[in-house]
Amino acid sequence: MMLGSPAFAAGYHDAFNNGAGAFNGRGSGSGGWYSGFTTSDYKADGHGTRGHYRWSDGTGGSLYNGSGSGTEAFRDTSREITSVRACVVYTWDPDDCSGWQ
């Protein structure tokens, strides 16, 4: 997590894999309360990261971060996330993903 991140409530999930990170949380920021999802790139290897998330009904989504090492991408999901996984993105090979957390 970067400095200045909000405090997270119950229901926090995180996953890490080979330089990729994914986490969710609920907290307060400059725009008020939110329920969001973040994917992070912790490794200077030339590969982007993708975080996947699931909601309690089994649906979900993903978020890509191709901005380089030390960066994060954020999405306000406005729904409670029940599990996450972190992936390193490879152009010609399958993504290298953590298990669902």
Side-chain angles (χ1 to χ4, degrees):
M1 254 189 289
M2 300 280 189
L3 290 176
S5 295
F8 293 104
Y12 177 77
H13 304 279
D14 62 4
F16 299 93
N17 185 55
N18 198 23
F23 57 92
N24 76 298
R26 292 174 24 170
S28 60
S30 60
W33 283 94
Y34 67 85
S35 178
F37 178 75
T38 302
T39 184
S40 304
D41 187 339
Y42 299 109
K43 192 173 183 181
D45 58 5
H47 298 289
T49 63
R50 185 180 326 276
H52 297 266
Y53 54 90
R54 288 184 183 155
W55 294 306
S56 60
D57 65 3
T59 63
S62 65
L63 179 61
Y64 178 71
N65 177 9
S67 298
S69 179
T71 63
E72 296 180 335
F74 174 80
R75 175 176 292 154
D76 183 347
T77 62
S78 299
R79 291 177 67 183
E80 187 70 28
I81 292 172
T82 58
S83 60
V84 301
R85 73 177 180 170
C87 304
V88 178
V89 176
Y90 293 100
T91 304
W92 303 110
D93 293 313
D95 292 353
D96 176 18
C97 297
S98 70
W100 286 95
Q101 304 294 317

